[in-house]
Amino acid sequence: MATPTELIQKQHEEALSLLSIDSSNYCPCAERHNHGEIPLTAKRSPSADRPSWSSRGQIDVTPIQEIVREGYNVNYHKDKTDSSTTNLWHPVTAAQHNVSVCRPSHDQWGIGKIVLIFCDDFLQQCYHFPYWHMRADIRAAVQPILDVLQLQVSQCVRLLLASLPPQTTIPLHQDSGEWVHQTHRVHVPILVPSPEDILFRSGPDDATLQRIDCREGHVFEINNAQRHAVTNGSSVHYRVHLILDYTDQPFRLPPVVLTPAEVLYQTRRSLNRVCDQGSRPTPSFMILGAQKAGTTSLYQYLTQHDLVIPAKRRETHCLDWRWNEKLKTVEQQRQWCQKFYHTEELYKHAACLTGDSTPSYLLDSRRVIPRIQAVFPWPLRFFVMVREPVARAESQYAMVTSLVGTEAQLKTRGVEWRNKSFWQVVQEDLQHMHECGLLPHWNVEEGIFDANVWKEFSGSAAEDQAWSLYLERHVPLNTGSYGLLTRGLYELQLRSWLKTFPVEQFLVLVLERDLADTDSLHDTMERAWAHLGIPGITSLDTTAQNTREYKSFLEEENEEKKEEDGESGGTRIAKKEYLQRFFRPYNERLEQLMEEHAWGSHRWNYEF
């Protein structure tokens, strides 16, 4: 979050007071101490008893000064000056002979820059800029810094020079981004005509900041996960620092060597080359279902990642409810569906991806699968959330029969169940399944399971045919009031999907196991982001989404029954046990499927 202008001005005035030797607030430079390299563990777990900076050495920076002195003291964001091939600071020169990079806050403050090496915030790629790989004199001038730090070039992921204008303050902050905890931050003052006018402070908190000596050639490392700020109190002189970020080990991939005048598209956390635009099609993933099994929470967790861009609406329904039958060609249908995402913007940013969560897709495979094959014929990543099916059914019934919500929400839920009890809807779905031939093993009246019939029927062509008939007859559009029980037959729903797409495209998660608590959630999201092929993040808001409190409808109907005829409390137990007995063989098939495909075993324990 950007620091308000008023606060920056206040901090600037306080810094000038700390710089004034005649002031009672004067802040002298702390004594230099070489604590060696600051371990990265100090960034992951900051502590007041660990040094926030370390003096790593002193070098002669004359060679660098000779290269970068020309034009360093000009604010190119305000002053229009002629470019020169020898003035590496000039934006026009950089655009022609190097590659332009935007650093929004620094640009706003008028800070000049010469970028030599840079990486995205997730350390997916490291880019070597033309000024670096085409200028032997620059590499030779920087080498003494690498030598004093005992570094190889392959460890450097960011290397640039920054020119801070007079009377400018970079406010107190700590750096953010996944790169921070994986890299060391080093500063080297290069051109500092009046070091007494520079207030560079670092510390674990605002009350314990120390001023660091910024005389030319001082090589020092800071813990940039802690608080730090810098003020150039001079009224005349700019201040130039070389800034270096490096990793403990050589970067895992060869650097991307950029060509002069190449264009990069940027987001806050990513860098994207023009030559890569369009290489990642839209969308990249879909959460298929199941409804009321945690899909909203999963989508919210996924889209907290800076590389995952939310769709224009979470449930696009572009492949079922909003499918446009009037469009006759595949390309027209694809363009229609892609209107539900930020497709044009994402075209330039191949590092970013997007997707949606439409939980009706899992059950409506008859319509959705062929449409995906037609309009999105690339290897999408699919997520499927499952939940104990009785609890899932009660949650769905609570949602679609609730009268609380916007007009659009009420319309989407449908009215088909509003005047029916939970158990009436259960019986209705059982009857639909029975009529389609899906339940030869189940006595609907008595709730008796025939294991022998199930053994012959389970996984057979007859079951597939009966399932297809059910989908054709009883999966309508534009309402959420259907499939109370069949949405909980997870293996049966997955069967069509796994016959069509490679299993590697799927990740199946269990609400009670994978989103149960903070620890399991963080582990789950690491798996989820790996499934998308992107690095994980450490900061995550774990608040569950789209939850509602409701009394068990089985219990509620039991209370009504007891009031009517004084019946004992066994009614609810009998109904719940009925549903558990019904779902148990289907759950066992899901368990086997999940173990087979390394999604982790899980069993919902039914006691009867």
Side-chain angles (χ1 to χ4, degrees):
M1 183 179 295
T3 306
T5 303
E6 299 79 9
L7 182 56
I8 296 175
Q9 182 59 36
K10 180 181 178 182
Q11 291 187 19
H12 182 70
E13 292 171 0
E14 291 172 349
L16 294 180
S17 176
L18 294 171
L19 284 169
S20 175
I21 198 168
D22 297 325
S23 168
S24 59
N25 295 326
Y26 176 66
C27 178
C29 292
E31 186 177 349
R32 294 189 189 187
H33 287 287
N34 188 344
H35 300 284
E37 184 177 78
I38 297 175
L40 295 181
T41 52
K43 291 189 168 189
R44 301 187 187 103
S45 302
S47 173
D49 59 357
R50 292 175 173 175
S52 60
W53 66 280
S54 176
S55 180
R56 302 288 300 276
Q58 180 73 35
I59 64 163
D60 178 13
V61 293
T62 304
I64 306 178
Q65 290 176 335
E66 293 175 352
I67 296 170
V68 303
R69 189 181 300 277
E70 181 183 349
Y72 84 95
N73 55 350
V74 177
N75 187 335
Y76 296 99
H77 301 277
K78 293 182 179 180
D79 302 329
K80 303 302 180 182
T81 60
D82 294 334
S83 61
S84 162
T85 57
T86 55
N87 178 0
L88 306 187
W89 299 98
H90 201 291
V92 174
T93 305
Q96 293 174 346
H97 301 283
N98 201 34
V99 175
S100 295
V101 171
C102 174
R103 305 187 79 205
S105 294
H106 285 206
D107 293 346
Q108 179 182 349
W109 295 323
I111 298 173
K113 58 185 176 294
I114 298 173
V115 184
L116 305 175
I117 298 174
F118 211 71
C119 68
D120 64 277
D121 274 20
F122 292 98
L123 292 176
Q124 294 193 103
Q125 294 284 0
C126 182
Y127 300 88
H128 282 196
F129 283 58
Y131 278 170
W132 176 255
H133 67 80
M134 298 178 70
R135 292 285 299 263
D137 58 334
I138 292 179
R139 297 197 301 275
V142 170
Q143 189 60 46
I145 300 173
L146 304 185
D147 291 341
V148 79
L149 296 169
Q150 299 182 345
L151 295 182
Q152 305 173 47
V153 172
S154 58
Q155 291 175 257
C156 301
V157 293
R158 290 188 179 181
L159 180 61
L160 64 145
L161 293 108
S163 178
L164 184 67
Q167 291 295 307
T168 300
T169 289
I170 297 178
L172 283 165
H173 66 286
Q174 59 263 6
D175 292 341
S176 62
E178 297 303 309
W179 62 277
V180 174
H181 302 94
Q182 301 179 56
T183 59
H184 300 268
R185 163 59 59 87
V186 171
H187 279 257
V188 185
I190 303 298
L191 288 167
V192 189
S194 53
E196 67 276 8
D197 291 327
I198 305 301
L199 185 72
F200 192 121
R201 294 180 295 161
S202 178
D205 54 61
D206 293 0
T208 56
L209 299 170
Q210 289 187 323
R211 182 181 176 185
I212 302 174
D213 183 357
C214 285
R215 283 176 287 185
E216 295 171 351
H218 180 202
V219 181
F220 61 91
E221 179 183 356
I222 68 167
N223 183 344
N224 58 329
Q226 294 185 342
R227 301 287 279 172
H228 56 285
V230 60
T231 293
N232 182 358
S234 171
S235 300
V236 179
H237 302 295
Y238 280 64
R239 178 232 66 174
V240 175
H241 271 207
L242 181 143
I243 303 171
L244 167 64
D245 293 316
Y246 70 90
T247 54
D248 281 340
Q249 301 297 326
F251 191 68
R252 57 187 177 82
L253 297 173
V256 176
V257 178
L258 302 177
T259 58
E262 187 170 344
V263 176
L264 292 179
Y265 293 122
Q266 294 174 257
T267 67
R268 181 167 177 256
R269 300 296 187 192
S270 69
L271 291 172
N272 304 271
R273 305 173 75 188
V274 168
C275 61
D276 293 331
Q277 64 182 0
S279 60
R280 187 194 293 273
T282 297
S284 296
F285 72 91
M286 290 180 179
I287 301 176
L288 302 173
Q291 185 191 50
K292 305 310 295 179
T295 57
T296 302
S297 291
L298 178 61
Y299 190 74
Q300 191 269 338
Y301 300 145
L302 285 172
T303 54
Q304 286 183 47
H305 199 296
D306 287 300
L307 298 181
V308 182
I309 311 303
K312 292 179 180 178
R313 56 191 309 154
R314 176 174 55 84
E315 296 187 17
T316 68
H317 285 287
C318 67
L319 298 169
D320 57 4
W321 298 7
R322 296 188 177 93
W323 180 258
N324 193 334
E325 296 285 3
K326 297 178 181 179
L327 302 177
K328 300 305 180 183
T329 70
V330 168
E331 185 57 33
Q332 288 175 332
Q333 287 286 9
R334 180 180 299 120
Q335 290 177 4
W336 165 254
C337 289
Q338 288 181 330
K339 290 181 183 295
F340 293 91
Y341 309 92
H342 300 281
T343 304
E344 292 184 11
E345 295 87 340
L346 285 164
Y347 181 79
K348 297 179 179 179
H349 301 285
C352 298
L353 53 89
T354 190
D356 71 291
S357 173
T358 307
S360 57
Y361 286 173
L362 182 63
L363 182 60
D364 197 6
S365 55
R366 181 180 68 91
R367 293 186 184 93
V368 175
I369 287 178
R371 292 171 181 177
I372 288 179
Q373 290 177 298
V375 301
F376 301 144
W378 45 82
L380 285 165
R381 292 293 174 171
F382 300 115
F383 294 91
V384 174
M385 292 289 308
V386 298
R387 176 186 184 184
E388 192 282 308
V390 179
R392 192 222 66 80
E394 288 197 287
S395 184
Q396 180 191 358
Y397 179 83
M399 178 186 71
V400 300
T401 58
S402 172
L403 299 179
V404 178
T406 66
E407 182 179 346
Q409 288 173 328
L410 295 177
K411 182 179 179 181
T412 298
R413 294 169 188 169
V415 299
E416 293 86 348
W417 295 352
R418 293 231 182 124
N419 297 315
K420 297 176 182 177
S421 71
F422 176 78
W423 197 249
Q424 285 175 320
V425 179
V426 167
Q427 294 297 310
E428 184 178 89
D429 205 17
L430 285 169
Q431 188 62 33
H432 290 161
M433 286 187 276
H434 176 71
E435 291 171 354
C436 293
L438 263 176
L439 303 179
H441 58 284
W442 184 255
N443 185 314
V444 174
E445 293 288 332
E446 302 294 330
I448 297 174
F449 171 71
D450 190 323
N452 291 325
V453 174
W454 173 256
K455 184 177 181 181
E456 294 296 323
F457 182 68
S458 177
S460 67
E463 185 182 33
D464 288 340
Q465 291 171 2
W467 180 245
S468 296
L469 185 59
Y470 177 91
L471 298 183
E472 182 180 347
R473 288 181 177 179
H474 301 296
V475 179
L477 296 173
N478 302 311
T479 178
S481 299
Y482 67 92
L484 187 70
L485 300 185
T486 49
R487 288 182 194 261
L489 308 182
Y490 302 119
E491 183 275 337
L492 195 51
Q493 292 176 84
L494 280 164
R495 193 179 298 175
S496 299
W497 291 91
L498 292 173
K499 285 180 179 179
T500 308
F501 302 102
V503 69
E504 293 78 16
Q505 291 179 226
F506 293 84
L507 179 61
V508 178
L509 301 170
V510 182
L511 175 64
E512 296 89 343
R513 179 194 69 189
D514 297 316
L515 304 186
D517 52 53
T518 300
D519 289 339
S520 62
L521 176 55
H522 280 282
D523 291 341
T524 297
M525 294 315 300
E526 288 296 323
R527 293 169 59 202
W529 288 315
H531 187 57
L532 294 177
I534 58 178
I537 60 176
T538 54
S539 177
L540 186 69
D541 177 1
T542 59
T543 305
Q545 302 293 307
N546 200 22
T547 60
R548 66 180 67 230
E549 294 291 333
Y550 60 90
K551 186 177 182 180
S552 168
F553 296 103
L554 292 170
E555 182 177 346
E556 188 175 88
E557 291 171 19
N558 179 48
E559 294 297 328
E560 293 174 357
K561 181 69 174 176
K562 285 165 63 179
E563 289 179 7
E564 289 176 9
D565 55 19
E567 195 175 298
S568 70
T571 304
R572 174 183 178 263
I573 296 173
K575 288 181 177 180
K576 184 175 183 179
E577 182 178 319
Y578 179 102
L579 290 176
Q580 289 178 339
R581 288 185 182 278
F582 172 78
F583 280 119
R584 183 168 62 175
Y586 295 99
N587 292 349
E588 289 173 351
R589 290 200 309 200
L590 177 67
E591 292 168 22
Q592 295 171 3
L593 183 71
M594 294 187 69
E595 289 180 2
E596 178 184 348
H597 296 305
W599 292 322
S601 60
H602 181 78
R603 174 169 295 183
W604 293 296
N605 292 318
Y606 293 156
E607 297 179 2
F608 49 79

